[in-house]
Amino acid sequence: MTYYYYLASDIKLPSGIYSKSGFINLNGSKIALDQTLDLTESDEKVDGFNYPVQIEIVYGLCDPETLEAYDDFGLPLLHKYILDVCSYYKTCTIQIAHILNTHRHPLKIVERRKLLLNQLSNPKQLALHHGEFGVSLNYGHTELRSL
């Protein structure tokens, strides 16, 4: 059983190793990946999302009960990633959830909240409880929704 952050969207979400300066092209080289975010392609099904899951972040980014960040770079990198990705589109929606994947039960959202993209000023706003659908970013209309 592992906690994941899942990202779904109506646009193609880029995957890979993401850092403060953007995506890292490894080209087969081995480098230290400290202070990076591993955005892995996914096709998991999450009950409650309006769009297909495209990205998973294994182990999540914060404690699902206390919302304490696991480190000082994960949430800020996700925040930067969202703003970077959305900046290329006139309109788009990104949905985010923090879910325990047991590989035995269907993944589903148990709590929803709503946030507009222009209100996403602090990376800590992306800290989500287990089962919480945290952010549905509607860029252009600038709506970051949690269900």
Side-chain angles (χ1 to χ4, degrees), residues 126-146:
L126 297 172
L128 305 173
H129 290 286
H130 162 63
E132 186 176 19
F133 172 42
V135 190
S136 179
L137 300 156
N138 195 326
Y139 194 73
H141 178 71
T142 328
E143 184 179 336
L144 189 67
R145 290 186 305 193
S146 309

Side-chain angles (χ1 to χ4, degrees), residues 3-79:
Y3 283 99
Y4 288 75
Y5 262 55
Y6 289 104
L7 283 70
S9 185
D10 61 346
I11 61 169
K12 175 69 177 141
L13 296 176
S15 61
I17 305 297
Y18 192 75
S19 71
K20 284 192 272 189
S21 57
F23 281 99
I24 297 172
N25 186 353
L26 298 177
N27 286 335
S29 62
K30 295 179 181 176
I31 62 169
L33 295 178
D34 293 339
Q35 299 194 10
T36 61
L37 198 56
D38 185 359
L39 303 165
T40 305
E41 286 186 26
S42 176
D43 60 359
E44 283 285 353
K45 304 291 184 237
V46 177
D47 187 26
F49 272 154
N50 299 339
Y51 302 101
V53 171
Q54 298 180 40
I55 301 291
E56 64 185 27
I57 302 170
V58 180
Y59 305 118
L61 299 171
C62 66
D63 183 283
E65 302 301 323
T66 66
L67 298 185
E68 279 295 313
Y70 289 146
D71 51 49
D72 60 353
F73 59 86
L75 291 171
L77 283 176
L78 180 58
H79 181 254

Side-chain angles (χ1 to χ4, degrees), residues 5 9 11 48 61 84-85 91 97 105 114 116 119-120 136 138 144:
Y5 262 55
S9 185
I11 61 169
L61 299 171
D84 287 351
V85 167
T91 62
H105 304 287
K114 188 172 187 173
L116 298 176
Q119 296 171 333
L120 182 62
S136 179
N138 195 326
L144 189 67

